[in-house]
Amino acid sequence: MSDPVLELEHLQMHFGALHVTRDVSIEVRPGEVHALIGPNGAGKTTLISQISGQLQPHSGSVILAGENITQLSVAERARRGLSRVFQISNVIQSYSALANVVLAIIGTEDGVWWRWRPALSDTSLADRAMNALAQVGLADKAQSIASDLSYGERRALELAITLAQNPRLLLLDEPMAGVGREESGALTKLLASLKGRVSMLLIEHDMNAVFALADRLTVLIGGAVALTGPPAEIKASPLVRQAYLGEEIQAATGGAA
Amino acid sequence: MNDMNRAAVVNPALKQDLLTGFAVIGALFAALATAQIAGAPYLTSLIGRIAITSIAALSLSFLIGQAGLVSFGHAAPIGIGAYVALMLAAGGTTDLSIQLSAAFILAALIALITGPIALKTRGVTFIMLTLAFAQMFFYVASSLVSWGGDDGMALAQRSTLFGYQILRTDAMLAAFSIALLAVILLANTWMAHTRFGLVLKAMTENERRVAANGFEVNHFLLYAFVIAAGVAAVSGVLLANQANYVSPAYLNWHRSGELIVIVVLGGVGRLPGAVLASALVILFEEFLGHYTEYWKLGLGLTIVAIVLLRGRDLGAFFGVRNQGARP
């Protein structure tokens, strides 16, 4: 098997006396969708923030495609192919969908300091941006101002933003949060269509989405890894059932269990 | 599909912003010509002041509107520019190519030192830090005893350009100032639409998103801070020539505040609006100032009236569009 895209090695983090990340080691393999689940307060978002660089672990390392990026800034990590979709929708509201994606593409290339031609008249940028928008089904909304888009469309736009950067790894922090039932199904389908092409680390409370998408899951309880394995193994684990999944698993597996 | 994309991407906003800029510059030149023909030297000098203040206001409008940084110390680089002109002229170096470059570079270098400190913060703390730095330079200027101390000092002679006394009369000074304003206004308008402008403007709304896109937010903000300081210093060189005098008063925090008022009045981020607002404030000071020392009351009431009238600002009042990358 090829080398993992992302390796977390013995990450530790405290907020004061609160031990929020306890010796976490996780691997994300190329092309896999790795879901991170756990009850509220298990430290999922804190962990994602340590991967993307908003937070610094107190010890341990974050390794992206063989390179230790633990000490790098958010921007440096992003330029190395780590793209984050935030828990709360996070786009430039006053920009058009197209401009949002163009902005993301500019972030991946050199020349922001010295290219003097108007960015939005640059057809090569625009073509690439349209390509990313088309992948998420937003091609006909390219000129819409982001604040005019529906919440689900804005989540899709965020996905286009990250896709346009040709990420090595997508960090998805509750992409379904706040999205309606109908749009959530569409978003799941969209993510499924990207499966195999992009490696993803997914945090999600919507168990239907998680079990539809994930190749492997890691269960985080009290800041520590309780279990890692394929969906069937996770569903079968009595420990996980007891600690966290319970009712939700039954719902996701059709209530028959 | 490709053709449709291309058509959709063409950017008429830049064209319109440039045209508005040209119109404002044209109006200033027309006013100057009228003043000359009518033989009104007083008006000529007023127009020169408007152009010089506009340059300073533009650099602050850029900083506030396009970089989202409210500096309350913008008088500092202006004063630094004025003192550079004073000192170089005293030493016999009157050429503008040297004076302007030296002023730009010195103010930019100082901003390169103060900027990273101030940029560790945002909001009110940033405002207070820029004010504190500017006050430091105010006191430094006041303590330059050999340059007049508190009282300041007369400029030894007006600046020249390649041996020509290009600022010999007030009309020439005004014309040169408007020309320089034109270059700065158009360059700034264009910049707002480049990759750099697009990134900078996005930061004013959502730094986290922009950082996640791979941009070092503070590098961009520092760059904007440094450029704004350099441009403000350019206006300082002209100001020294206009008044034939340089004093610490140029670095007074009142001046910084007045510039913020002008920027807000013109509409934050509306570059031609900053020029219109500079004109309005200077005309108020001159004409209302003749009748009453309480002219600022009149100015204040006018600001309130304009803001209420249009719910926004002077730029909007005259139909000037908000600039920058909002495709």
Side-chain angles (χ1 to χ4, degrees), chain A residues 73 79 90 93-94 116 120, chain B residues 9 190 198 205-206 214 216:
Chain A
S73 70
R79 281 197 298 273
N90 198 17
Q93 302 276 5
S94 66
W116 57 277
L120 295 171
Chain B
V9 163
W190 188 282
L198 195 74
E205 188 185 311
N206 191 339
E216 295 290 354

Side-chain angles (χ1 to χ4, degrees), chain A residues 58-70:
Chain A
H58 290 116
S59 65
S61 30
V62 180
I63 293 162
L64 182 71
E67 185 190 4
N68 190 331
I69 58 167
T70 319

Side-chain angles (χ1 to χ4, degrees), chain A residues 73 75 78-79 86 90-95 99 103 107 109 115-116 118-120 122 125-127 130 143 165, chain B residues 2 5-6 8-9 11 14 190 193-196 198 201-202 205-206 208-209 211-216 223 325 327:
Chain A
S73 70
R79 281 197 298 273
F86 289 89
N90 198 17
V91 299
I92 308 295
Q93 302 276 5
S94 66
Y95 279 21
L103 187 69
E109 29 167 68
R115 295 223 182 141
W116 57 277
L120 295 171
D122 186 324
L125 279 180
D127 288 347
M130 283 305 293
Q143 299 300 326
Q165 298 193 307
Chain B
N2 238 1
N5 300 344
R6 269 159 219 263
V9 163
N11 184 359
L14 172 60
W190 188 282
H193 292 269
T194 62
R195 284 167 162 76
F196 177 71
L198 195 74
K201 184 83 178 148
E205 188 185 311
N206 191 339
R208 207 159 71 126
R209 169 77 266 165
N213 279 358
F215 302 106
E216 295 290 354
Y223 193 63

